[in-house]
Amino acid sequence: MNTTTDLDTLVIDGRKLRDAREARGLSVAEVAALCTLSRDQVQQIEEGGERPFYTPAHKLLAIRKYALAMDIPYDDIVAGPGST
């Protein structure tokens, strides 16, 4: 079964990731390198944008990588139908 995720139905707390990054004294570029993401992707996750992602699934994978790098449970960042 093929399902799609509608990002509009999700609540994504990018601020929590940004706060964790800043508390660790890391720049956007440093987190991007750590997570193998672009700087633009990290900024869009933190600010709620969708532009640099091919699909909603790609964005959720990037958020999962960022949350793991910041040692924050994914469920603390993403909530709503289709978040897992």
Side-chain angles (χ1 to χ4, degrees), residues 3-4 6 9 13-14 16-17 22-23 27 39 47-48 55 57 66 69 83:
T3 60
T4 58
D6 181 3
T9 65
D13 190 352
K16 189 175 283 187
L17 290 169
E22 290 174 348
S27 69
R39 288 177 291 180
E47 297 169 7
T55 67
Y66 191 175
S83 64

Side-chain angles (χ1 to χ4, degrees), residues 1 5-6 8 32 44 47 54 63 67 71 74 78:
M1 183 168 125
T5 302
D6 181 3
D8 293 334
Q44 292 295 311
E47 297 169 7
Y54 297 114
I63 291 169
D71 203 25
Y74 174 79
V78 181

